[in-house]
């Protein structure tokens, strides 16, 4: 269900609206395919798949939704060729040697409208999970911009619900220590945080124009060479880890988790798929249950969460670490 997760903190006083009200709001913004001259279309689709028409799936006291986006990407080379051809035709028809920027803009818009109906569409869907008890929202996206788009669609849907209560006020989770600083400390000291182990995959990158990169795959990281790369200035951008022998994942320098995988100890004994034939309910309950427990431990490992611009550290920052106090966008309902 979740292979990647970008985490948001939601307002303490936010209360999830009744499922029926949220379902009605999402039905008003359900997905419709791109029109012939429409470059992009977004809307809500059933998280359970095409066999269902329900747009909000309740898992305990939580909710799961999915936003679908369809695009008609146009190759820049095709647009450029069409514009140049039209400009030459315009010069011949008018006798003008020069074409104003206004006319060029109009020609480009016409060329795009002409090309769009012939462009192939690409469709993608992104899952969103709201945990109103622990005040966490997770989006199955490795891009903050992509996650913001999904959250903005949710905010718009919530605004359609009358008397929906306090706004969701979603903001990317911020920690006292940057993930890059923490990963560098764990690798250099060969000391993983409590409850976690460092696995055998890692990426280190020099933060300069050259972006020199070193990658280790299925390789022990408890070697002097890794520490030497960090000492020379390379920054960890990805690090494979395991939490409590239950969930493996890759932590990024943007504090996102990728390649989420539930391990055998979690899946052993899970035979009953639950009330549904496709296993959605069971899968959703297991995944959200594991993530609900993993997230607090991960935040603690990164020095504690930043709340209102101030840190609430639960562990001491390692020597030489720095805190990230840069403000990130807040998405309000």
């Amino acid at each position: 269900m979740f292979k990647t997760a970008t985490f948001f903190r939601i307002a303490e006083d936010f209360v999830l609206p009744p499922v029926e009200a949220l379902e009605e709001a999402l039905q008003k913004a359900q997905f419709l395919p791109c029109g012939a001259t429409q470059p992009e279309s977004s809307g809500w689709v059933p998280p359970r798949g095409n066999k269902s028409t329900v747009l909000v799936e309740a898992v305990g006291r939580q909710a799961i939704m999915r936003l679908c986006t369809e695009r008609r990407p146009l190759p820049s080379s095709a647009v450029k060729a069409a514009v140049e051809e039209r400009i030459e035709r315009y010069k011949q028809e008018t006798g003008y040697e020069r074409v104003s920027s206004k006319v060029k803009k109009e020609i480009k818009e016409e060329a795009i409208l002409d090309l769009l109906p012939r462009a192939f569409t690409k469709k993608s869907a992104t899952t969103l999970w709201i945990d109103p008890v622990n005040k966490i929202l997770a989006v199955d996206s490795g891009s903050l911009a992509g996650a913001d788009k999904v959250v903005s669609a949710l905010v718009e849907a919530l605004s359609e619900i009358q008397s929906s209560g306090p706004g969701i006020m979603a903001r990317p989770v911020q920690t006292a220590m940057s993930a890059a600083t923490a990963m560098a400390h764990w690798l250099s000291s060969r000391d993983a945080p409590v409850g976690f182990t460092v696995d055998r995959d890692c990426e280190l990158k020099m933060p300069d124009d050259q972006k020199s990169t070193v990658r280790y795959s299925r390789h022990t990281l408890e070697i002097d060479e890794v520490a030497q790369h960090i000492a020379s200035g390379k920054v960890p951008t990805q690090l494979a880890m395991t939490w409590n022998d239950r969930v493996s994942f890759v932590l990024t320098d943007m504090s996102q988790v990728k390649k989420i995988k539930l391990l055998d100890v979690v899946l052993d004994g899970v035979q009953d798929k639950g009330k549904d034939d496709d296993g959605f309910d069971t899968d959703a309950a297991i995944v959200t249950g594991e993530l609900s427990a993993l997230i607090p431990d991960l935040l603690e490992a990164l020095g504690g969460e930043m709340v209102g611009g101030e840190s609430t550290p639960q562990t001491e920052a390692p020597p030489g670490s720095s805190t990230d106090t840069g403000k990130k966008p807040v998405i309000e309902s």
Side-chain angles (χ1 to χ4, degrees), residues 40 48 68 75 80 84 116 120 132 180 202 226 251 262 303 319 323:
E40 181 176 314
R48 195 180 292 270
C68 181
K80 182 180 179 182
E84 290 177 349
L116 277 173
F120 291 104
C202 177
V226 173
L251 178 65
L262 303 182
T323 58

Side-chain angles (χ1 to χ4, degrees), residues 5 7-9 12 62 129 131 133-138 173-177 186 193-196 243-244 247 249 251 255 257 287-306 312-315:
F7 301 116
F8 293 79
R9 176 63 67 187
E12 283 294 326
Q62 306 167 69
W129 161 51
D131 181 354
V133 176
N134 296 305
K135 307 302 178 184
I136 282 287
L137 185 155
V173 168
Q174 294 179 268
T175 52
M177 207 187 330
W186 301 334
V194 176
F196 294 85
W243 170 75
N244 283 342
V247 182
F249 62 94
L251 178 65
S255 299
V257 293
V287 171
T288 57
E290 294 299 320
L291 288 180
S292 293
L294 184 156
I295 293 169
D297 286 358
L298 181 59
L299 296 181
E300 181 178 349
L302 295 175
E305 189 174 357
M306 301 282 289
T312 54
Q314 297 165 320
T315 59

Side-chain angles (χ1 to χ4, degrees), residues 126-184:
T126 306
T127 302
L128 177 149
W129 161 51
I130 304 177
D131 181 354
V133 176
N134 296 305
K135 307 302 178 184
I136 282 287
L137 185 155
V139 181
D140 186 10
S141 173
S143 160
L144 183 56
D148 282 344
K149 180 177 179 179
V150 177
V151 175
S152 295
L154 172 66
V155 168
E156 186 174 348
L158 290 172
S159 68
E160 295 293 323
I161 302 174
Q162 294 183 351
S163 304
S164 60
I168 194 168
M169 292 286 289
R171 68 177 71 226
V173 168
Q174 294 179 268
T175 52
M177 207 187 330
S178 72
T181 298
M183 290 188 290

Side-chain angles (χ1 to χ4, degrees), residues 50-115:
N50 295 332
K51 294 181 180 179
S52 173
T53 58
V54 178
L55 300 181
V56 182
E57 291 288 349
V59 181
R61 300 166 64 186
Q62 306 167 69
I64 294 176
M65 290 151 278
R66 182 170 294 165
L67 187 77
C68 181
T69 299
E70 186 176 59
R71 298 182 178 87
R72 289 183 181 274
L74 291 175
S76 57
S77 58
V79 174
K80 182 180 179 182
V83 169
E84 290 177 349
E85 180 183 343
R86 288 168 182 255
I87 287 177
E88 287 302 316
R89 190 188 311 151
Y90 176 85
K91 289 180 179 179
Q92 293 174 7
E93 292 174 351
T94 61
Y96 296 150
E97 286 297 323
R98 294 183 179 180
V99 180
S100 68
S101 57
K102 179 181 178 181
V103 172
K104 286 182 179 179
K105 181 180 179 182
E106 292 174 351
I107 288 175
K108 184 175 181 179
E109 291 173 350
E110 291 174 357
I112 290 175
L113 286 175
D114 183 53
L115 290 170

Side-chain angles (χ1 to χ4, degrees), residues 198-250:
V198 170
D199 295 337
R200 296 165 60 86
D201 296 299
C202 177
E203 180 182 88
L204 303 162
K205 188 174 293 186
M206 187 67 76
D208 57 16
D209 295 337
Q210 299 298 319
K211 302 293 182 183
S212 302
T213 303
V214 175
R215 293 185 180 89
Y216 292 90
S217 179
R218 301 177 185 178
H219 193 291
T220 179
L221 302 179
E222 294 184 349
I223 54 176
D224 293 338
E225 184 181 279
V226 173
Q228 291 167 1
H229 281 302
I230 294 172
S232 69
K234 291 187 177 68
V235 177
T237 55
Q238 296 188 45
L239 178 63
M241 305 183 73
T242 294
W243 170 75
N244 283 342
D245 295 326
R246 299 179 67 83
V247 182
S248 67
F249 62 94
V250 172

